[in-house]
Amino acid sequence: MIDTHVHLHRDDFDDDRAEVLRRARQAGVRGVLNVGYDLASSEASLDLARRVAGVRATVGIHPHDARLIADEDGRLTDEGRACLDRLAGWATRDEVVAIGEIGLDFYRDLSPRPAQRTALVRQLELAARVDLPVVFHVRDAYPETLAVIDDVGLPPRGGVLHSFAGEVEHARWALARRCWLGIGGPVTYKNSRLPEVLREAAVPAG
């Protein structure tokens, strides 16, 4: 068993990172995937994966930080090109096993939506170019995100919809494309329909 989405590089774990990993191994977790979400966290994830056995890394720009790649109108900036070049360089390292987390987040809207879309498109293209799967972050934007993925193309290595909280049609979309569903925190919410959604999605439509 592996944990496919952790942020152990964060300073919250500075006092007990080794102990957290020890307890995880004791519980049967053989490896963890430390997920990047901006340049600093991507570099920190790579550094952690270099130093600690059983840790692998992802590199990517979260929709909250899409301004790192594009302006408010969705135009790729010079800084964005440099950012994508850095991600591409890291993506060739053996410790890096996916691009992410990337996607659209229309719940917080911390970056303009056109910038989010451009960041998603460019990183999907990067994932296909370096032949890596993708870790998707999607919140209040499933139809829009899945439409972008269908337009650009899911990278050959596929991906995972992290912390999935979509509807039946979104789950079926993923299953039809052999894209994994990450079942995490949302399944614990008091009013979560996720168990029902997953049961229905498992039954072929029609």
Side-chain angles (χ1 to χ4, degrees):
M1 181 168 64
I2 65 171
D3 189 330
T4 64
H5 203 106
V6 302
H7 298 296
L8 284 174
H9 67 280
R10 291 171 62 96
D11 56 12
D12 312 57
F13 295 99
D14 283 351
D15 294 334
D16 64 350
R17 186 175 291 108
E19 175 61 16
V20 168
L21 286 165
R22 186 193 68 78
R23 290 199 306 268
R25 285 191 291 269
Q26 199 170 46
V29 177
R30 293 300 189 90
V32 299
L33 185 57
N34 203 83
V35 175
Y37 43 83
D38 58 16
L39 289 176
S41 62
S42 294
E43 188 169 28
S45 295
L46 176 57
D47 180 63
L48 185 65
R50 283 194 192 112
R51 293 185 292 104
V52 181
V55 177
R56 291 293 180 265
T58 80
V59 296
I61 305 300
H62 192 286
H64 290 346
D65 295 293
R67 290 177 186 270
L68 292 171
I69 292 178
D71 65 19
E72 63 182 11
D73 296 316
R75 290 185 295 257
L76 182 67
T77 61
D78 290 341
E79 293 81 3
R81 290 186 183 89
C83 178
L84 290 166
D85 285 345
R86 289 189 71 184
L87 294 177
W90 288 330
T92 64
R93 307 291 180 87
D94 289 342
E95 297 89 353
V96 174
V97 298
I99 300 297
E101 57 189 289
I102 71 175
L104 301 177
D105 189 316
F106 293 171
Y107 177 75
R108 297 196 184 279
D109 271 332
L110 295 185
S111 280
R113 293 182 181 186
Q116 291 189 45
R117 188 185 189 284
T118 297
L120 173 57
V121 168
R122 293 289 180 155
Q123 291 180 99
L124 281 171
E125 293 170 346
L126 171 61
R129 193 162 67 248
V130 298
D131 194 29
L132 288 177
V134 177
V135 178
F136 292 105
H137 169 102
V138 185
R139 193 164 186 192
D140 283 6
Y142 278 94
E144 296 86 353
T145 303
L146 305 189
V148 170
I149 298 170
D150 278 341
D151 184 46
V152 177
L154 186 68
R157 299 284 294 276
V160 58
L161 294 173
H162 158 62
S163 198
F164 179 73
E167 299 297 331
V168 172
E169 61 267 29
H170 308 138
R172 285 182 172 155
W173 177 97
L175 295 173
R177 290 158 181 77
R178 302 188 71 182
C179 184
W180 296 93
L181 300 174
I183 309 305
V187 78
T188 68
Y189 298 168
K190 182 183 294 186
N191 298 320
S192 174
R193 292 183 53 252
L194 195 50
E196 175 188 339
V197 164
L198 296 173
R199 279 193 297 269
E200 187 173 342
V203 178

